[in-house]
């Protein structure tokens, strides 16, 4: 009879011990859970929905070619912006220029001798005219004297002498005139040859001009005419990935041949980005966004063209400003900023759902109060919200407290 009460006492004690252990476990879990609960203050920040991309740069470009064979002489530094029509380089044939320059020196010497001969000719003509006038004056005086004293024989002799003197003077004037004509003809011939040599010398120097205003570069890569914004229909994913850039740089003194590309001109006021995304991305023509190149500030832009290529879609994005790297590089890495929200920011993990409402747990005076918020947008890690004062402490791991997470906010990738 004594064994039955002992069994009952043992069972009671075991039950009490189990209940005590269960209570202790729950109390310990609550203590551990409270220790694991973390909070962060609500701060003012910016949340962006970003899409990492690698894009091709499309520009309006013009290839500059040598109009003749010769040696390249740049007149503008690479990377310099030039106006339309500016002479950016020359192509010079040095061998021909040297021969023509030597001929010009010889012509200049011959012209100098001809000019000196013409000056001497003018002096000889002037001396002859003075001598003839003096002789004629003296003879006329003798004729008048003989006539006044009736010396008929002497008068006839003087008149005959005057006739012979006039005939001789006419012969001399004709000879001097012939000499002048010959010298002037020689000078005209030399001057015409000089003009011809100068024209040939100019043709031996071919100028390269800028067809439009833009940035001048002394290099080409063979893609200038293919990567144009007006040719995106031809730029299929396969065609673009098969593009082969072969850069060739030029410097002063390089030997070039006629028709050879020696440089390029880039429109520095407008560039486009061309990239591929899986079809169904949701970006339509006219959509405004930001592009942030690696290491640079964001640049505003808009989707100008959407071209479908089956499973992939080509996006042509027109930028409103021109990053410096976009003027020289064919590809740029960065991120498309599809959306941007400013204001109070909390971790997405802090959002909970109660009775169809989205909110957060705010610690106030040792208590945790459910506070409704309106989610403006999210990048998957942070959410911009309305309805929370800055500085509030929100629980970032409310699941430990048994809360149900809120549905994924709008804007999550």
């Amino acid at each position: 009879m004594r064994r039955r009460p002992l069994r009952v006492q043992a069972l009671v004690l075991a039950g009490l011990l189990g209940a005590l252990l269960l209570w202790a476990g729950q109390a310990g879990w609550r203590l551990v859970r409270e220790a694991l609960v973390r909070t962060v203050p609500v701060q003012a920040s910016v949340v962006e929905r970003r899409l990492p991309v690698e894009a091709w740069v499309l520009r309006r470009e013009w290839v500059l070619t040598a109009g003749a064979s010769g040696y390249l002489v740049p007149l503008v530094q690479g990377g310099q912006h030039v106006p339309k029509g500016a002479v950016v380089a020359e192509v010079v044939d040095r061998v021909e220029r040297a021969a023509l320059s030597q001929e010009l020196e010889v012509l200049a010497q011959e012209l100098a001798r001809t000019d000196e001969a013409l000056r001497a000719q003018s002096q000889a003509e002037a001396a002859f005219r003075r001598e003839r006038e003096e002789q004629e004056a003296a003879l006329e005086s003798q004729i008048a004297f003989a006539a006044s004293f009736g010396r008929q024989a002497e008068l006839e002799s003087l008149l005959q002498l005057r006739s012979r003197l006039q005939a001789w003077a006419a012969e001399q004037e004709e000879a001097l005139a012939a000499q002048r004509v010959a010298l002037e003809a020689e000078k005209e011939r030399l001057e015409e040859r000089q003009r011809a040599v100068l024209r040939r010398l100019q043709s031996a120097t071919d100028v390269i001009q800028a067809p439009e205003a833009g940035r001048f570069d002394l290099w080409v890569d063979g893609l200038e005419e293919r990567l144009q914004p007006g040719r995106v229909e031809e730029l299929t994913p396969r065609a673009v990935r098969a593009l082969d850039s072969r850069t060739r740089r030029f410097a002063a003194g390089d030997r070039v041949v006629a028709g050879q590309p020696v440089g390029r001109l880039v429109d520095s006021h407008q560039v486009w980005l061309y990239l591929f995304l899986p079809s169904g991305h949701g970006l339509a023509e006219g959509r405004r966004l930001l592009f942030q190149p690696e290491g640079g500030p964001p640049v505003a832009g808009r989707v100008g063209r959407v071209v479908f290529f089956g499973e992939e879609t080509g996006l042509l994005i027109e930028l409103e400003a021109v990053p410096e790297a976009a003027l020289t590089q064919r590809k740029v890495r960065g991120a498309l900023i599809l959306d941007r929200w400013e204001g109070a920011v909390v971790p997405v993990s802090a959002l909970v759902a109660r009775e169809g409402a989205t909110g957060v747990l705010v610690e106030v005076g040792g208590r945790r109060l459910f506070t409704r918020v309106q989610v403006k947008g999210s990048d998957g890690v942070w959410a911009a919200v309305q309805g929370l004062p800055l500085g509030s402490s929100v629980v970032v791991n409310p699941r430990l407290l048994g809360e149900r997470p809120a549905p994924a906010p709008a804007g999550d990738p």
Side-chain angles (χ1 to χ4, degrees):
M1 296 294 293
R2 292 181 178 177
R3 292 181 179 178
R4 185 175 296 176
L6 290 175
R7 289 197 200 97
V8 172
Q9 290 176 2
L11 291 174
V12 171
L13 289 174
L16 291 174
L17 181 59
L20 179 62
L21 290 174
L22 179 61
W23 175 85
Q26 291 177 344
W29 165 243
R30 283 193 297 270
L31 290 174
V32 172
R33 184 182 65 184
E34 290 296 326
L36 293 177
V37 172
R38 295 186 299 108
T39 62
V40 295
V42 178
Q43 298 180 349
S45 185
V46 176
V47 175
E48 297 174 337
R49 188 159 67 99
R50 303 170 70 91
L51 179 64
V53 295
E54 181 181 51
W56 288 84
V57 181
L58 274 58
R59 303 175 285 254
R60 293 176 64 233
E61 300 181 52
W62 297 267
V63 177
L64 306 178
T65 58
S69 300
Y71 295 89
L72 184 65
V73 181
L75 303 180
V76 177
Q77 293 184 351
Q80 183 175 339
H81 293 265
V82 298
K84 179 179 180 179
V87 178
V88 296
E90 293 179 343
V91 179
V92 179
D93 190 330
R94 294 179 180 174
V95 176
E96 185 175 8
R97 280 181 63 88
L100 292 173
S101 298
Q102 184 176 3
E103 185 175 357
L104 279 178
E105 292 180 2
V106 173
L107 289 171
Q109 295 173 0
E110 292 181 359
L111 278 170
R113 286 194 293 268
T114 303
D115 287 336
E116 180 63 29
L118 281 170
R119 285 192 294 271
Q121 178 71 19
S122 298
Q123 294 173 358
E125 291 173 352
F128 171 75
R129 284 192 296 271
R130 287 194 303 269
E131 181 181 0
R132 186 189 63 183
E133 290 171 356
E134 292 174 356
Q135 291 177 351
E136 288 178 349
L139 187 58
E140 290 298 329
S141 176
Q142 293 178 10
I143 291 173
F145 180 80
S148 62
F149 287 97
R151 299 178 179 179
Q152 190 62 32
E154 183 179 355
L155 179 60
E156 290 178 0
S157 177
L158 291 172
L159 290 173
Q160 292 175 359
L161 178 60
R162 184 176 67 179
S163 297
R164 290 194 300 272
L165 181 61
Q166 290 175 346
W168 174 81
E171 292 176 358
Q172 292 298 314
E173 286 180 350
E174 185 177 352
L176 290 172
Q179 292 176 3
R180 171 172 291 279
V181 169
L183 289 172
E184 290 177 346
E186 177 65 10
K187 180 178 181 180
E188 184 177 354
R189 184 189 68 81
L190 292 173
E191 289 176 340
E192 178 59 31
R193 178 56 186 167
Q194 187 181 51
R195 287 190 293 268
V197 172
L198 285 173
R199 287 193 299 269
R200 186 69 191 98
L201 189 61
Q202 291 176 352
S203 66
T205 302
D206 181 74
V207 298
I208 301 175
Q209 292 181 286
E212 297 289 342
R215 172 193 169 109
F216 170 68
D217 288 313
L218 265 175
W219 59 274
V220 292
D221 61 8
L223 302 180
E224 289 81 8
E225 296 179 352
R226 299 193 64 184
L227 292 178
Q228 292 284 334
R231 303 182 64 178
V232 291
E233 288 83 0
E234 305 171 17
L235 299 176
T236 65
R238 177 179 296 180
V240 169
R241 292 178 183 124
L243 290 176
D244 185 17
S245 175
R246 298 183 179 181
T247 301
R248 180 173 181 184
R249 301 183 181 274
F250 295 88
D254 286 351
R255 176 73 179 176
V256 297
V257 298
Q260 177 181 351
V262 297
R264 66 177 188 174
L265 196 74
V266 178
D267 183 355
S268 57
H269 296 96
Q270 184 66 69
V271 298
W272 292 260
L273 300 180
Y274 189 59
L275 55 97
F276 298 103
L277 293 178
S279 296
H281 49 73
L283 296 178
E285 293 183 2
R287 167 71 183 273
R288 299 193 64 81
L289 42 72
L290 296 173
F291 172 72
Q292 184 169 17
E294 289 183 349
V299 179
R302 71 176 186 88
V303 179
R305 291 287 306 277
V306 178
V307 186
F308 294 97
F309 299 108
E311 296 181 355
E312 290 186 276
T313 301
L315 263 67
L316 182 67
I317 300 174
E318 181 180 355
L319 299 183
E320 295 181 2
V322 181
E324 188 64 25
L327 293 177
T328 56
Q329 299 179 7
R330 284 298 180 194
K331 282 185 178 181
V332 291
R333 294 179 181 270
L336 295 181
I337 302 175
L338 305 178
D339 295 293
R340 182 182 176 92
W341 305 278
E342 298 182 1
V345 173
V346 298
V348 170
S349 62
L351 300 175
V352 299
R354 285 189 184 180
E355 299 178 356
T358 299
V360 296
L361 298 181
V362 180
E363 285 196 347
V364 180
R367 302 173 59 193
R368 298 186 181 99
L369 303 179
F370 176 78
T371 303
R372 292 189 178 190
V373 297
Q374 179 183 354
V375 180
K376 297 189 291 184
S378 167
D379 62 0
V381 178
W382 295 91
V385 299
Q386 287 182 337
L388 279 181
L390 298 179
S392 302
S393 293
V394 298
V395 177
V396 298
N397 49 355
R399 291 187 183 183
L400 289 177
L401 302 175
E403 297 290 342
R404 184 165 56 91
D412 276 4

